[in-house]
Amino acid sequence: MILLISDLHLEEERPDITRAFLDFLTGRARSAQALYILGDFFEAWIGDDAMTPYQRSICEALRTLSETGTQIFLMHGNRDFLLGQAFCKAAGCTLIKDPCVVDFYGEPVLLMHGDSLCTRDEAYMRLRRILRNPVTLWVLRHLPLSTRHKLARKLRSESRAQTRMKANDIVDVTAEEVPRIMAQFGVRTLIHGHTHRPAIHKLQIGEQAARRIVLGDWDHQGWVLQVDEQGMQLMPFDFAPA
Ligand code: MN
């Protein structure tokens, strides 16, 4: 059995989500052969060299799961794209590219965070190209900590202000972009997060039936996609009472 989650937006200020995730790691995730985390795992990440005690405790919880035999795969989101190899090594995770094709029980499946599908948001797409450029990444990782903190705060408040202003359809995926990228990678299943609109969309790509599965964000409830020989099941679950 394989489990996929995304958009937990873990931060110290949300002990409810943190608790739910730690329970998930010692519960359901133990029986999975693999766990995929498709981005925005952390609400913010300014570098592996700046881990807070809180982030370190999450890192150790992941490592404990990996040591029990569950393989953990981690993809960057738009908030935690500075997560690096040092974190992954310490957490026992493997960093995977966005997009990437995996084999789930004989079926090729395309995994993405999802932000790159929101192509109508041109301002964001421009910013994304700049931020994800290897040169920018190198510079960001080598800025003094205080500068990185300032930058992260600025990006977050700008992103909040803009999301409020943007039309509803701009922050969702571009409908035409979905069949295009699925055809490019030769898949009939796409799984992504980012939009916080959990759903299973049935599609038609040429003559073939296809599907786009959107993982949900963890806020007042959690979301997990379970994949096994029987198929794929997208399930919400309640957080245990504090
Ligand atoms: Mn996102």
Side-chain angles (χ1 to χ4, degrees), residues 71-200:
Q71 274 191 288
I72 310 171
F73 299 95
L74 189 65
M75 182 181 279
H76 285 146
N78 49 299
R79 292 181 173 277
D80 53 11
F81 64 93
L82 281 177
L83 271 170
Q85 291 299 345
F87 172 82
C88 289
K89 193 154 178 272
C93 302
T94 305
L95 196 60
I96 54 172
K97 284 210 166 84
D98 177 8
C100 91
V101 177
V102 292
D103 182 303
F104 285 168
Y105 302 96
E107 188 194 350
V109 172
L110 182 62
L111 305 180
M112 304 177 78
H113 175 58
D115 57 326
S116 62
L117 293 166
C118 304
T119 55
R120 271 166 305 176
D121 190 347
E122 286 171 23
Y124 173 70
M125 293 303 277
R126 264 197 307 278
L127 177 68
R128 188 182 196 275
R129 271 193 298 275
I130 296 167
L131 289 175
R132 303 299 190 84
N133 181 295
V135 177
T136 316
L137 287 174
W138 188 92
V139 172
L140 283 175
R141 288 201 171 99
H142 289 82
L143 285 172
L145 262 186
S146 58
T147 315
R148 280 185 266 161
H149 275 299
K150 256 183 246 157
L151 264 175
R153 268 198 300 274
K154 190 159 182 281
L155 282 175
R156 275 174 74 179
S157 64
E158 269 174 21
S159 144
R160 276 207 198 103
Q162 284 180 5
T163 309
R164 269 197 297 273
M165 273 162 29
K166 277 170 193 162
N168 217 31
D169 63 329
I170 292 188
V171 288
D172 201 357
V173 303
T174 307
E176 308 79 57
E177 188 60 13
V178 172
R180 191 196 67 74
I181 196 135
M182 291 178 76
Q184 183 189 326
F185 285 92
V187 297
R188 289 191 297 144
T189 302
L190 162 65
I191 303 171
H192 70 83
H194 179 66
T195 60
H196 300 195
R197 294 162 203 238
I200 299 184

